[in-house]
Amino acid sequence: MIRTDEHHSCKGTPMCHSDQKQLQSNSMKNGYHKKEKVQKNGKGDGFHQPRVRGEDSFEEAPMYVAVLTYMGYGIVILFGYFRDFLRAVGFEKCHQAQEREEQKDFVPLYQDFENFYKRNLYTRVRDNWNRPICSLPGPVFDVMERVSDDYNWTFRLTGRTIENVINMGSYNYLGFAENNVDFLKTVAEETRQYGVGVCSTRQELGNLSTHEKLERLVAEFLGVESAMAFGMGFATNSMNIPALVGKGCLILSDELNHTSLILGARLSGATIRVFKHNNMQSLEKMLKDAICSGQPRTHRAWKKILIMVEGIYSMEGSLVRLPEILALKKKYKAYLYLDEAHSIGAVGPTGRGVTEYFGVDPNEVDVLMGTFTKSFGAAGGYIAGKKELVDYLRSHSHSAVYATAMSPPVVEQIIRAIKCIMGVDGTTEGQRRVRQLAENTRYLRSRLKEMGFIIYGNQDSPVVPLLLYLPGKVGAFSRAMLKRKIGVVVVGFPATPITEARARFCVSAAHTREMLDKVLQSLDELGDDIKLKFSRHRSSYRPELYDETDFELDS
Amino acid sequence: MASGQQWVLVEMVQAFYEAPAYHLILEGILILWIIRLLFSKTYKLQERSDLTEKEKEELIEEWQPEPLVPPVSKDHPSLNYDVVTGPPSHKIIVNGKECINFASFNFLGLLDSERVKLKALSSLKKYGVGTCGPRGFYGTFDVHLELEERLAKFMGTEEAIIYSYGFATIASAIPAYSKRGDIIFVDEAACFSIQKGLQASRSFIKYFKHNDMEDLERLLKEQEIEDQKNPRKAKVIRRFIVVEGLYINTADLCPLPQLVKLKYRYKVRIFLEESMSFGVLGEHGRGVTEHFGVNIDDIDLISANMENALASIGGFCCGRSFVIDHQRLSGQGYCFSASLPPMLAAAAIEALNIMEEDPGLFRVLRDKCKHVHKALQGTPGLKVIGEPLAPALHLQLENSSGSRTDDLKLLRAIVDYSLDRQIALTLARYLDKEERFLPPPSIRVVVTVEQTQDEIQTAAQCIREAALKILK
């Protein structure tokens, strides 16, 4: 029932042989095989010890839950049609913004279904998204109270705030979303000197020395030759992938990749094939087929093959199988594009992302991409790797030529955060945070499992999805949590498969044990109230994973 | 007859008894064979000769991919950026030399404004830097709501929506509405972010000649004829005209009043990109609609970035709620990206305050634009591209040497000559292979309100000298 058996089923394929042992040792309990693995990966010196990779778990829900979920959608859709009928006959007032009179005879701007979904399903629960806040997005925040007088068609701010709501939604993994004056001193200075804008592109006159300083620092932090920074994380993917691949190239993309990667791949004009999430068999088969049969119709050989994966998948909380992918990539001479949006800073003994987590040399990954929005509490993204790669991007990236350069204060915030993590600011604060995050993550995850919730992903991933399944529970869960002063993120169709609506918690190093305990207690109560404890693998043991000592050993 | 038939039957049975065993077996096999032929596919769709494992391995062994990126030569013209130390405001330090800035799109000089900086600082104190989330997931701050409200009010529209990156604004807005099968009519001079939006939408793209309304009408008429052939299909094909208010590549205005006429005649929606004209044109800086006195509601969507006149970061779209609200679920750059850092939004609000308080700024800018346009006329070997009221002009070679690389080198020499004499200019940069219609090489000359008469004269003089020296 747990979807992790891909490990063992890849027997027989030539690549897997060498890794088979490693995989098996991986799946053994912590620490047991550590020694043997260190010897095996002897070339990884200079990097931290390879860590035993936890399992990604994807427990399936009982059948009745799936049936109920479909029924839930069925009921809402039926009601939707009924109410549309009432609106059509004028019995119910339609609150939606309408087309201008002058343009009523134009071709309708929206398709009917799209509108139907929004009108009849989304609107009913839309108070759970876009909740405005009026404070720092730290471990706690202040939510502005909104009420709706017309069943969520419009909202009215009451002017009151719900203070000190525990923030389980922001990607503030290392707690760098902070407003401590001492920490932000350099950022404030930069603002005073530069202002906020740049008013030019990098290739014209927007290349500030501070940008170059940041890029050197990022490269040093990641342990690669060179790096380039961009103003928006989303655009880092969508505007640079087209510079790397084009017609006649093949992109193999994980099915759960982020929209920005998909957009970038589409804009590039390359052929895109999608492999099953984290499924090495599926990937290897595609690689083999691609090389053997070449491009469709012409059978000409592919110019290059680019594998696109993410470090941590933001909706599943799973970690990429990096060592296996690297082995495949080498065997089939493909290139690897690794998007570390959620993993940089958030995993690895010193916060250097999944490469460090798995103890592999970051130089083995061809393109390292990441964002500054999450762990670094700023904005933007980077691409790092060999000097040739970055030089090529400097001259061919869409972003460098057409988009305004990064805001200097934002750049300074990233520099400050990276320096803190690297410890070059002379403190151990950064490392403390990295450790704290790992500890909080394991604590929250193991407690949730213990309570009987179905949670997805890797035990070390700070993205913790908790499955809700039924559409009715999505809104109820989020509202009930806000009532308990806990801000959570819930997502349903179309962001997830239709039967897998979920809540997502993002653990932060800034969360205290008290906060997590309060969240857990509320979840425990709520889980019983609205029946969310679907797991049939309720683990009764309390593993010592979150003991302090365990973490000292690990790092 | 009946008896004859019976006889045959009897004989057949008899023959069956008498036949030797091998014969029966043979017959049996034949019958099975026929059945097999009947039930199996008699032909193969494709001649399949499956590769053996060994052959596959050989193929894999033999395949050599191209390098991930082709090597870039060290002196590639766009590899070595000019380095700016210190703020890129009116006085800018380029490669260690202090110059007067004629290159940054800081039209209203707001980059330097103390008020804007103070507002950003106080926001920094309260909110820190990042938002750590997209708008949907606790990335909506009170500052964002305020900025959207203010922008809508400033432009006189029902609603506005902000993006965290100027480039992503129109590039996300277009595919939010126009899908596969829809038709977009677009000006050939449209900027790169529009081109990316068109590409992402996967719609049919029809280019019309730059600012040529007859050409556009020809395309619209063609489509009308096409529609009459298949009226049912025509009922679901959305159509859009995408134009820029003030073109960044050609520095001229779109003929908005004619476009609006065409819009109603052919029932096409207009998307207008105003990054260059917002905060520049019109009595109050509201852009081309104000400049031409066009009712803003006649334009379906207006987008602009906040990185030029507003001197912050990000972009926005505005229009009627019916149109704009859709992007809150369908604008990819809006939904899937972290929201704008609050301090940048706060800075944009303060910049809007300044623009609202002092509409005189726009008059000053207009005068300066005219002045610069006039001063640059008659530069030997160079022609000025753009309207007198455009704040970002292009200087192109009158006589091209025939090779783009050589032209760029000549222009770069003029830029370097000016840099040495404390006038900061820049080449307009493009991705040669990516542009749909690559504009000719040019030097960008940007006008800001901070440039004095003297500085403008000096700059014009300097460019003239450089042109005389380098082009002859």
Side-chain angles (χ1 to χ4, degrees):
Chain A
M1 277 293 142
I2 300 183
R3 266 198 263 150
T4 44
D5 42 7
E6 298 131 23
H7 285 299
H8 310 290
S9 53
C10 61
K11 214 182 321 193
T13 52
M15 161 262 149
C16 272
H17 265 327
S18 58
D19 286 10
Q20 194 74 16
K21 243 187 233 158
Q22 202 172 330
L23 288 174
Q24 274 165 2
S25 76
N26 277 357
S27 43
M28 305 228 166
K29 270 270 91 60
N30 241 353
Y32 181 62
H33 271 260
K34 221 172 211 173
K35 244 185 186 163
E36 183 194 298
K37 281 199 57 190
V38 174
Q39 285 163 353
K40 223 184 210 168
N41 280 14
K43 60 175 189 282
D45 45 341
F47 298 95
H48 286 264
Q49 277 189 8
R51 183 184 260 234
V52 177
R53 178 183 186 279
E55 295 275 314
D56 283 349
S57 74
F58 290 101
E59 186 182 339
E60 267 175 29
M63 182 58 112
Y64 77 90
V65 177
V67 174
L68 284 177
T69 307
Y70 279 117
M71 273 170 61
Y73 277 103
I75 292 169
V76 189
I77 288 171
L78 279 180
F79 262 89
Y81 279 119
F82 179 60
R83 295 187 61 183
D84 270 358
F85 168 73
L86 293 185
R87 285 184 195 111
V89 297
F91 193 76
E92 189 182 326
K93 197 177 153 224
C94 187
H95 297 272
Q96 209 165 13
Q98 295 296 313
E99 177 76 286
R100 256 173 113 207
E101 271 315 310
E102 293 92 322
Q103 292 182 221
K104 283 255 153 104
D105 52 347
F106 279 42
V107 175
L109 191 54
Y110 308 119
Q111 268 157 12
D112 226 27
F113 177 74
E114 213 178 339
N115 241 352
F116 177 87
Y117 190 85
K118 191 177 153 192
R119 194 167 53 226
N120 294 309
L121 280 77
Y122 173 69
T123 306
R124 302 172 75 109
V125 287
R126 70 184 244 189
D127 55 312
N128 298 302
W129 291 276
N130 302 307
R131 284 181 185 145
I133 66 171
C134 55
S135 72
L136 181 79
V140 292
F141 53 28
D142 301 340
V143 177
M144 297 164 83
E145 194 183 66
R146 290 190 300 185
V147 290
S148 178
D149 305 319
D150 48 10
Y151 303 99
N152 282 353
W153 284 104
T154 56
F155 290 104
R156 179 165 57 80
L157 293 170
T158 59
R160 284 188 294 270
T161 50
I162 313 166
E163 280 171 15
N164 290 322
V165 176
I166 299 177
N167 177 3
M168 296 305 289
S170 299
Y171 311 126
N172 180 22
Y173 299 126
L174 293 180
F176 282 110
E178 55 195 349
N179 56 5
N180 184 320
V181 181
D182 290 334
F183 291 155
L184 291 180
K185 219 163 79 194
T186 52
V187 182
E189 271 165 27
E190 203 80 352
T191 315
R192 247 174 247 125
Q193 197 198 342
Y194 284 85
V196 296
V198 182
C199 296
S200 190
T201 66
R202 289 292 296 276
Q203 287 214 348
E204 293 183 3
L205 278 191
N207 178 46
L208 307 185
S209 48
T210 166
H211 293 137
E212 298 195 337
K213 184 174 152 199
L214 169 69
E215 287 168 354
R216 279 193 298 272
L217 190 67
V218 170
E220 191 193 331
F221 174 66
L222 295 169
V224 293
E225 286 174 9
S226 195
M228 182 163 187
F230 305 92
M232 181 197 198
F234 185 96
T236 307
N237 278 331
S238 62
M239 293 167 78
N240 286 310
I241 295 170
L244 299 176
V245 284
K247 265 209 167 56
C249 301
L250 176 68
I251 293 177
L252 295 176
S253 164
D254 191 289
E255 63 178 341
L256 294 178
N257 273 344
H258 190 249
T259 321
S260 55
L261 287 164
I262 298 168
L263 180 64
R266 275 196 195 147
L267 292 178
S268 73
T271 308
I272 306 163
R273 287 183 193 156
V274 177
F275 62 92
K276 290 212 184 77
H277 175 54
N278 249 344
N279 186 330
M280 293 305 113
Q281 251 185 315
S282 167
L283 176 61
E284 182 167 22
K285 189 173 172 301
M286 282 191 177
L287 279 166
K288 207 183 238 176
D289 288 352
I291 297 174
C292 292
S293 48
Q295 299 184 29
R297 289 185 46 241
T298 60
H299 296 286
R300 221 172 262 150
W302 293 102
K303 286 184 183 160
K304 47 195 166 190
I305 300 179
L306 183 69
I307 304 172
M308 288 196 326
V309 291
E310 289 185 46
I312 291 180
Y313 290 85
S314 61
M315 284 293 168
E316 316 296 305
S318 50
L319 251 74
V320 64
R321 295 182 185 287
L322 192 60
E324 291 96 316
I325 289 185
L326 281 173
L328 281 179
K329 161 197 130 64
K330 267 180 223 153
K331 182 171 178 213
Y332 293 97
K333 291 170 263 185
Y335 300 105
L336 179 61
Y337 187 106
L338 175 63
D339 175 344
E340 291 218 70
H342 286 268
S343 53
I344 190 68
V347 293
T350 66
R352 278 153 169 94
V354 279
T355 50
E356 192 192 26
Y357 180 86
F358 289 109
V360 300
D361 183 348
N363 288 297
E364 289 185 28
V365 180
D366 301 280
V367 189
L368 284 165
M369 179 271 167
T371 64
F372 300 126
T373 321
K374 285 129 193 163
S375 299
F376 306 110
Y382 65 82
I383 283 191
K386 298 241 159 23
K387 189 166 179 301
E388 299 93 80
L389 168 80
V390 177
D391 277 354
Y392 183 79
L393 287 179
R394 272 184 216 289
S395 47
H396 292 83
S397 159
H398 299 181
S399 186
V401 187
Y402 296 103
T404 304
M406 280 172 96
S407 164
V410 175
V411 170
E412 185 54 37
Q413 158 78 2
I414 304 163
I415 292 178
R416 159 188 103 78
I418 294 182
K419 279 187 173 166
C420 182
I421 301 171
M422 289 170 79
V424 291
D425 61 344
T427 67
T428 52
E429 174 63 14
Q431 286 314 302
R432 188 196 64 74
R433 290 186 187 195
V434 172
R435 223 165 296 158
Q436 186 68 48
L437 174 65
E439 191 183 317
N440 286 353
T441 300
R442 286 206 180 178
Y443 178 69
L444 185 79
R445 277 187 168 269
S446 55
R447 287 290 307 275
L448 284 175
K449 265 205 179 129
E450 209 177 284
M451 287 175 185
F453 292 105
I454 293 188
I455 57 170
Y456 276 1
N458 190 285
Q459 60 175 7
D460 290 319
S461 135
V463 179
V464 187
L466 184 153
L467 274 288
L468 304 172
Y469 298 106
L470 283 82
K473 292 188 182 178
V474 173
F477 177 78
S478 177
R479 286 175 197 143
M481 287 300 270
L482 188 63
K483 226 171 240 166
R484 289 162 204 253
K485 289 202 165 193
I486 297 166
V488 296
V489 163
V490 286
V491 271
F493 182 76
T496 65
I498 198 153
T499 55
E500 291 183 22
R502 63 195 66 175
R504 184 182 64 182
F505 307 111
C506 290
V507 184
S508 165
H511 287 136
T512 60
R513 188 53 72 89
E514 289 74 50
M515 289 176 196
L516 292 180
D517 281 335
K518 193 188 159 201
V519 172
L520 285 163
Q521 196 203 336
S522 305
L523 279 172
D524 197 18
E525 292 164 15
L526 198 60
D528 290 327
D529 276 1
I530 59 173
K531 294 269 174 296
L532 292 173
K533 299 178 176 174
F534 297 113
S535 176
R536 285 159 299 176
H537 295 268
R538 186 183 289 241
S539 44
S540 51
Y541 64 95
R542 286 178 64 99
E544 301 87 65
L545 289 174
Y546 43 87
D547 264 14
E548 307 276 327
T549 49
D550 192 61
F551 288 95
E552 275 161 26
L553 281 177
D554 270 357
S555 45
Chain B
M1 283 287 272
S3 65
Q5 240 177 18
Q6 207 173 21
W7 186 81
V8 171
L9 208 71
V10 169
E11 202 175 38
M12 265 174 74
V13 173
Q14 224 162 27
F16 188 76
Y17 278 121
E18 284 166 11
Y22 75 88
H23 192 98
L24 284 179
I25 291 167
L26 195 75
E27 295 265 335
I29 289 171
L30 276 174
I31 290 168
L32 286 176
W33 184 252
I34 289 166
I35 292 171
R36 186 175 168 257
L37 281 178
L38 279 176
F39 285 92
S40 73
K41 271 203 189 111
T42 49
Y43 59 94
K44 278 187 183 146
L45 280 169
Q46 208 178 356
E47 197 56 46
R48 286 192 55 146
S49 50
D50 280 338
L51 297 168
T52 62
E53 276 306 310
K54 195 164 164 268
E55 283 171 322
K56 280 188 186 173
E57 266 168 42
E58 275 171 15
L59 279 172
I60 291 164
E61 194 64 35
E62 277 166 24
W63 182 64
Q64 279 305 331
E66 286 180 7
L68 179 61
V69 289
V72 183
S73 67
K74 277 221 173 68
D75 53 347
H76 190 282
S78 49
L79 180 58
N80 303 303
Y81 300 170
D82 294 317
V83 183
V84 175
T85 35
S89 41
H90 179 50
K91 294 264 168 66
I92 183 173
I93 301 169
V94 186
N95 302 334
K97 276 184 218 92
E98 197 188 69
C99 304
I100 309 292
N101 194 344
F102 280 87
S104 307
F105 297 128
N106 180 19
F107 305 136
L108 301 177
L110 294 174
L111 190 62
D112 246 357
S113 156
E114 275 312 305
R115 278 178 64 181
V116 173
K117 285 182 186 174
L118 284 177
K119 191 79 184 285
L121 278 171
S122 69
S123 174
L124 174 71
K125 223 177 197 170
K126 186 173 176 200
Y127 300 100
V129 181
T131 57
C132 288
R135 287 291 295 265
F137 304 155
Y138 304 103
T140 302
F141 287 59
D142 48 354
V143 200
H144 295 136
L145 298 179
E146 190 189 340
L147 176 57
E148 285 177 345
E149 208 180 292
R150 289 293 307 278
L151 283 165
K153 202 178 124 224
F154 181 85
M155 294 296 287
T157 56
E158 284 176 18
E159 196 168 336
I161 182 172
I162 52 174
Y163 282 78
S164 53
Y165 203 45
F167 188 96
T169 312
I170 189 74
S172 292
I174 293 173
Y177 302 98
S178 186
K179 312 280 180 194
R180 203 189 278 276
D182 296 339
I183 300 175
I184 306 178
F185 301 92
V186 63
D187 192 289
E188 280 182 358
C191 65
F192 196 72
S193 53
I194 292 181
Q195 291 172 36
K196 287 290 124 181
L198 300 176
Q199 203 185 339
S201 76
R202 299 191 270 182
S203 310
F204 290 116
I205 313 297
K206 300 200 169 172
Y207 285 95
F208 58 89
K209 293 210 183 70
H210 176 52
N211 273 350
D212 185 342
M213 290 303 104
E214 277 167 24
D215 197 37
L216 172 61
E217 188 155 16
R218 179 182 61 82
L219 290 173
L220 289 166
K221 271 200 181 119
E222 265 174 26
Q223 186 56 39
E224 203 175 40
I225 294 164
E226 200 65 29
D227 287 348
Q228 280 158 0
K229 281 187 205 153
N230 194 348
R232 272 186 67 184
K233 194 176 156 208
K235 258 193 225 160
V236 293
I237 300 176
R238 284 164 285 220
R239 32 258 29 231
F240 305 89
I241 297 174
V242 179
V243 286
E244 274 179 80
L246 187 59
Y247 286 87
I248 184 168
N249 292 346
T250 55
D252 54 0
L253 287 164
C254 71
L256 198 59
Q258 284 102 297
L259 281 165
V260 172
K261 261 183 222 148
L262 289 178
K263 163 186 168 159
Y264 286 107
R265 194 175 306 152
Y266 295 95
K267 301 190 183 8
V268 195
R269 296 168 198 273
I270 297 182
F271 287 2
L272 182 61
E273 160 42 70
E274 290 222 65
S275 290
M276 282 288 135
S277 46
F278 168 75
V280 174
L281 295 180
E283 207 52 40
H284 301 89
R286 291 185 193 128
V288 271
T289 47
E290 194 185 21
H291 176 83
F292 284 116
V294 168
N295 178 5
I296 201 155
D297 281 339
D298 282 333
I299 310 299
D300 293 84
L301 180 138
I302 290 177
S303 95
N305 71 28
M306 306 190 279
E307 296 164 351
N308 299 344
L310 280 181
S312 181
I313 297 285
F316 71 93
C317 288
C318 63
R320 299 187 305 281
S321 293
F322 174 72
V323 179
I324 299 300
D325 190 55
H326 181 66
Q327 285 178 56
R328 296 196 193 272
L329 283 181
S330 305
Q332 287 201 332
Y334 177 87
C335 297
F336 297 103
S337 158
S339 52
L340 187 66
M343 63 183 298
L344 304 181
I349 293 174
E350 192 61 24
L352 269 180
N353 284 339
I354 295 173
M355 280 162 62
E356 278 182 348
E357 283 163 24
D358 184 13
L361 268 177
F362 308 113
R363 212 188 46 244
V364 175
L365 180 63
R366 239 183 327 272
D367 291 344
K368 297 253 154 102
C369 290
K370 278 182 201 150
H371 189 169
V372 171
H373 191 266
K374 204 171 145 209
L376 288 174
Q377 296 297 330
T379 310
L382 290 174
K383 55 183 174 192
V384 181
I385 303 294
E387 306 236 351
L389 46 72
L393 300 163
H394 291 269
L395 289 174
Q396 286 175 6
L397 288 175
E398 250 164 17
N399 305 309
S400 164
S401 63
S403 133
R404 193 173 174 90
T405 331
D406 292 345
D407 285 1
L408 278 168
K409 267 188 196 144
L410 283 174
L411 291 171
R412 178 71 214 188
I414 296 177
V415 170
D416 285 338
Y417 182 93
S418 307
L419 278 176
D420 282 340
R421 281 151 193 80
Q422 300 182 334
I423 301 296
L425 298 170
T426 179
L427 293 179
R429 303 282 197 163
Y430 305 101
L431 286 173
D432 298 4
K433 287 188 189 125
E434 308 280 332
E435 285 277 356
R436 185 70 168 66
F437 300 96
L438 181 63
S442 65
I443 297 174
R444 213 190 277 291
V445 182
V446 180
V447 188
T448 74
V449 291
E450 291 172 306
Q451 292 153 1
T452 62
Q453 304 277 10
D454 286 350
E455 284 164 350
I456 293 172
Q457 285 310 330
T458 318
Q461 186 57 34
C462 174
I463 294 170
R464 194 164 300 134
E465 278 170 29
L468 270 175
K469 201 158 167 248
I470 291 155
L471 298 181
K472 293 290 161 173

